[in-house]
Amino acid sequence: MLVSTTSPQAATAARNYAIVTAAYWGFTLTDGALRMLVLLHFYRLGYSSLTLAFLFLLYEAAGIVANLVGGWLATHFGIPRMLMAGLVTQIAGFLMMSALMPEWSAAASVAWVIAAQGICGVAKDLTKTASKSAIKLTAGDASGKLFQWVAWFTGSKNAMKGFGFFLGGVLLEFLGFRGALWAMAAALGFVLIGVLLSLPPKLGKAQASRSAREFFAKGRGINLLAAARVFLFGARDVWFVVGLPIFLYSAGWTFTMVGSFLAVWTIGYGIVQAAAPALVRRGGHDHEAGISAARWWSFLLTLVPVLMVAWLLIGQYKVNLAADWPAPFGEWLSWGLQHPDGPIVVGLVLFGIAFAVNSSVHSYLVLAYAGTEKAAEDVGFYYAANAAGRFMGTLLSGLLYGWGGLAACLGGSAIMLTTCWLIALALPPLGVGIRSTK
């Protein structure tokens, strides 16, 4: 995972990278558990798909502002302070949510959870911006390792998020809603102490932008990547947040089966992200350029939801394809049309592979395009776009599923991915789209 420590600078870089990665693992584990806690707890109480989407809206919307402000603050005060601020904010969000009382009205409960989720959304993106910015700085002392370090960090944290989905179900089962939140707050307290004692306080501290005009004066590469990121993550969350869990549950899956599938999918997605540099190189792409990889993999990703929508529509309108195929293929087709959850799961595995490579390549490119002195500001701007995409996808997930089921969600995903691919075609070469730090 880490570079060989052939110099004091490389050893220090590897140490700081390991500390930041471990801290974000702890945060992501509890963040994934929180999502599953809220989704399963309130669905069990009878909340509709649209209401469940609203529970996560402020969480995503708060991230837009948190990334923008967090990038500036990390540059001004240093990355460790912002990492600690994110952990403290997450603990506060957990404690606030644990104060929810069963006797409150539905409206009051929803408002309280939305507010607490907003606090957790701020925490997530303060922590993410600080952590990703730290990788840009630490990899500067480990020449040629940026793509590998970004891929490992991104992939491993998403694998931890998958474990978090599983953990959320387990904690809800054995500790209940409030007990689970208290346990996660205590665990993050230990992570906070570790960061406080381990990281140099001035890591990443530099002269921050002194005006809004200077802050938003991004290079062309950053701006295009941010736009692509909006549609990339909107295309995932439009089916992942609300539509897929309810679809699988409606198809006869239990809560445990739904949570386990989401956990395995996310863990596998994280493993593919970590392996993205090797996958990209095997495809004949230079990992230091990455532009052709972003274009090619986004095109492949676009095809997956198109095929899944076609399959769902064929089954919905009772088109008989099985009769035209010899045994046993006819029987397999017939079963797949009668039980669409099976082929959809296969399609989502393929989606996860292509999406993981896209996400990893994008995460590398934003750091490659970013300036060095104000890397945190550039990263914050980029992940604000990421949060905007999640916000859009979360809202549309509830709306589209209520209107046309999972087929409508996947149709929306296909449209957004087509837009992402078209934006990727316009990405400039590395070295052209970088903002001047002077």
Side-chain angles (χ1 to χ4, degrees):
M1 179 181 76
L2 300 178
V3 295
S4 59
T5 55
T6 56
S7 69
Q9 293 82 2
T12 300
R15 173 185 175 276
N16 290 338
Y17 172 82
I19 292 169
V20 169
T21 301
Y24 200 59
W25 280 357
F27 181 93
T28 304
L29 187 65
T30 62
D31 187 65
L34 175 67
R35 180 171 290 268
M36 194 55 56
L37 276 173
V38 171
L39 183 66
L40 295 181
H41 178 69
F42 286 95
Y43 186 75
R44 185 170 59 183
L45 294 178
Y47 286 73
S48 69
S49 63
L50 184 58
T51 303
L52 290 173
F54 274 110
L55 291 178
F56 295 100
L57 279 184
L58 188 58
Y59 174 91
E60 305 296 0
I64 301 173
V65 179
N67 276 303
L68 291 173
V69 176
W72 186 90
L73 291 174
T75 303
H76 186 75
F77 293 107
I79 289 170
R81 289 183 180 178
M82 292 314 301
L83 184 56
M84 289 186 286
L87 292 169
V88 170
T89 305
Q90 182 82 328
I91 292 171
F94 287 167
L95 294 178
M96 177 180 173
M97 196 174 298
S98 71
L100 179 68
M101 303 302 292
E103 61 268 21
W104 291 359
S105 67
S109 297
V110 168
W112 187 264
V113 173
I114 288 175
Q117 285 275 75
I119 292 173
C120 292
V122 170
K124 175 183 178 180
D125 288 293
L126 287 179
T127 309
K128 177 189 285 186
T129 298
S131 301
K132 288 289 182 76
S133 303
I135 296 174
K136 171 71 173 181
L137 297 174
T138 55
D141 293 321
S143 179
K145 295 296 181 181
L146 181 59
F147 194 6
Q148 290 92 329
W149 283 21
V150 171
W152 172 260
F153 176 89
T154 306
S156 63
K157 70 97 175 173
N158 279 312
M160 292 302 293
K161 189 172 186 177
F163 283 115
F165 290 154
F166 175 75
L167 177 65
V170 171
L171 290 176
L172 184 62
E173 182 74 25
F174 291 100
L175 298 181
F177 186 69
R178 182 174 298 174
L181 291 167
W182 287 347
M184 294 192 299
L188 281 186
F190 287 106
V191 175
L192 175 63
I193 294 172
V195 171
L196 179 64
L197 298 176
S198 303
L199 284 179
K202 294 185 178 181
L203 178 67
K205 188 173 181 180
Q207 178 64 52
S209 295
R210 288 168 287 186
S211 67
R213 181 177 181 180
E214 181 182 353
F215 179 85
F216 285 104
K218 308 297 179 187
R220 182 165 176 258
I222 294 289
N223 288 332
L224 286 173
L225 268 178
R229 194 75 170 187
V230 170
F231 293 101
L232 180 66
F233 272 75
R236 182 198 66 177
D237 285 3
V238 72
W239 58 262
F240 187 82
V241 173
V242 176
L244 179 64
I246 295 178
F247 170 80
L248 294 177
Y249 182 75
S250 301
W253 292 38
T254 65
F255 281 139
T256 301
M257 292 169 65
V258 173
S260 297
F261 172 74
L262 294 178
V264 171
W265 188 91
T266 308
I267 292 167
Y269 157 70
I271 292 171
V272 175
Q273 275 188 312
L279 293 175
V280 168
R281 285 199 295 274
R282 287 190 185 117
H285 304 296
D286 183 350
H287 75 276
E288 293 184 359
I291 307 300
S292 57
R295 295 166 178 166
W296 172 245
W297 283 94
S298 62
F299 173 74
L300 289 179
L301 180 60
T302 303
L303 298 178
V304 180
V306 171
L307 294 175
M308 286 194 289
V309 169
W311 185 270
L312 288 173
L313 291 178
I314 288 171
Q316 180 179 342
Y317 290 102
K318 311 298 182 184
V319 176
N320 187 7
L321 297 178
D324 298 328
W325 289 80
F329 301 106
E331 288 84 352
W332 293 347
L333 280 172
S334 178
W335 180 89
L337 291 172
Q338 293 174 14
H339 303 86
D341 51 311
I344 288 300
V345 165
V346 174
L348 291 176
V349 169
L350 298 176
F351 186 102
I353 293 171
F355 184 88
V357 177
N358 270 282
S359 178
S360 192
V361 169
H362 282 207
S363 295
Y364 157 68
L365 286 175
V366 70
L367 294 181
Y369 280 127
T372 301
E373 294 180 8
K374 297 181 180 179
E377 290 188 4
D378 289 339
V379 171
F381 176 80
Y382 170 75
Y383 281 107
N386 189 93
R390 296 198 313 261
F391 177 88
M392 176 177 65
T394 298
L395 177 60
L396 289 175
S397 188
L399 289 172
L400 290 177
Y401 190 85
W403 172 65
L406 190 64
C409 293
L410 290 169
S413 178
I415 293 171
M416 284 187 270
L417 287 173
T418 300
T419 306
C420 176
W421 172 62
L422 293 174
I423 294 171
L425 294 178
L427 287 172
L430 292 181
V432 174
I434 298 178
R435 169 170 74 153
S436 171
T437 59
K438 298 182 179 179

